[in-house]
């Protein structure tokens, strides 16, 4: 079956099916997951799944939107913690870097990019489900730190985007291109600390 944007139909067992799909995708990844296992874990029939979602990629993107929102909410909770920008941004960077480098984060990104040319609705839905939420929260946090004279920023939205991109430095492109798929804790911590230090060197008071 071919994915058709807007073809998803919600019914009485939709949330149950979606949670089952989430467990399977998180455990087995997109390629490893199969509809039979999703049906078993969700305790629904394959016919029920196909009555809601006609394509595995579309089902994966629905799960991805849910998971990205959860990840964004977790990041937002960390950014709302009291404390200096160095500590809060470190927590936010830790969360973002590890999500970017996770199997689920990688698969979600690849599928969203691959499908967005044919089906722009999928790319937009993915972007609005997580990245936009995190970016909005980060922008609000930076504005608060500016009002407390901890940061000096002329273009807050650009600064927020720069911080997110700093969290992708060095490792993300290597992973997406297949140059390297596993990283040590030291490599990950280096990017996290580098993102925070570079950002504060530019915008800190």
């Amino acid at each position: 079956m071919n994915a058709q944007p807007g073809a998803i139909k919600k019914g009485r067992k939709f949330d149950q099916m979606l949670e089952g799909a989430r467990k399977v995708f998180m455990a087995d990844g997109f390629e490893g997951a199969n509809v039979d296992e999703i049906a078993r874990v969700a305790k629904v029939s394959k016919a029920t799944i196909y009555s809601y979602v006609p394509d595995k990629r579309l089902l994966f993107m629905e799960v991805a939107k849910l998971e990205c929102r959860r990840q964004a909410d977790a990041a937002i909770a960390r950014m709302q913690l009291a404390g200096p920008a160095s500590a809060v941004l470190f927590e936010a960077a830790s969360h973002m870097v590890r999500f970017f480098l996770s199997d689920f984060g990688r698969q979600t990104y690849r599928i969203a990019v691959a499908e967005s040319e044919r089906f722009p609705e999928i790319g937009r839905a993915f972007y609005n489900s997580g990245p936009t939420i995190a970016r909005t929260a980060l922008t609000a946090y930076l504005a608060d730190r500016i009002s407390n004279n901890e940061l000096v920023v002329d273009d807050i939205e650009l600064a927020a985007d720069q911080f997110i991109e700093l969290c992708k430095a060095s490792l993300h492109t290597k992973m997406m291109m297949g140059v390297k798929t596993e990283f040590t804790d030291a490599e990950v911590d280096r990017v996290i600390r580098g993102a925070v230090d570079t950002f504060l060197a530019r915008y800190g008071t």
Side-chain angles (χ1 to χ4, degrees):
M1 297 182 185
N2 294 323
Q4 296 294 327
I8 292 176
K9 298 178 181 179
K10 295 187 178 182
R12 182 171 58 88
K13 294 184 178 181
F14 182 82
D15 290 340
Q16 178 180 336
M17 179 271 297
L18 199 62
E19 182 57 28
R22 176 182 177 274
K23 291 177 181 177
V24 175
F25 282 129
M26 293 294 285
D28 300 335
F30 175 74
E31 296 296 338
N34 64 73
V35 177
D36 288 320
E37 180 65 7
I38 292 172
R40 185 190 69 79
V41 173
K43 297 181 180 179
V44 299
S45 67
K46 285 178 65 175
T48 295
I49 293 176
Y50 283 123
S51 71
Y52 293 146
V53 185
D55 185 271
K56 190 174 85 165
R57 283 189 174 233
L58 209 56
L59 175 56
F60 181 82
M61 289 312 300
E62 281 296 299
V63 171
K65 288 190 292 182
L66 175 65
E67 188 62 22
C68 285
R69 181 172 289 276
R70 289 181 179 180
Q71 295 284 346
D73 288 342
I76 289 169
R78 290 183 175 185
M79 285 189 289
Q80 289 174 340
L81 294 173
S86 59
V88 176
L89 291 177
F90 185 86
E91 288 295 323
S94 298
H95 191 91
M96 284 191 284
V97 172
R98 289 189 167 87
F99 178 70
F100 292 151
L101 298 179
S102 69
D103 288 340
F104 189 82
R106 172 176 52 82
Q107 292 167 345
T108 299
Y109 183 83
R110 279 182 171 166
I111 291 175
V113 171
E115 296 296 330
S116 61
E117 183 173 354
R118 289 191 303 156
F119 306 130
E121 295 87 349
I122 291 179
R124 286 195 292 266
F126 165 70
Y127 186 78
N128 291 332
S129 67
T132 295
I133 295 172
R135 180 178 182 271
T136 300
L138 179 59
T139 300
Y141 175 76
L142 295 179
D144 177 72
R145 292 298 89 193
I146 292 168
S147 66
N148 280 275
N149 299 316
E150 192 173 355
L151 299 175
V152 177
V153 182
D154 293 327
D155 190 333
I156 300 177
E157 292 186 352
L158 177 61
D161 289 335
Q162 288 172 334
F163 183 72
I164 294 170
E165 292 304 314
L166 284 170
C167 291
K168 295 180 180 179
S170 182
L171 306 184
H172 185 256
T173 301
K174 290 179 182 177
M175 181 189 68
M176 297 309 300
M177 298 299 176
V179 175
K180 191 173 182 179
T181 57
E182 294 185 1
F183 305 97
T184 65
D185 289 340
E187 289 175 307
V188 174
D189 290 342
R190 173 173 171 263
V191 172
I192 294 169
R193 176 52 61 195
V196 176
D197 289 348
T198 300
F199 187 83
L200 292 179
R202 171 63 179 85
Y203 295 114
T205 56

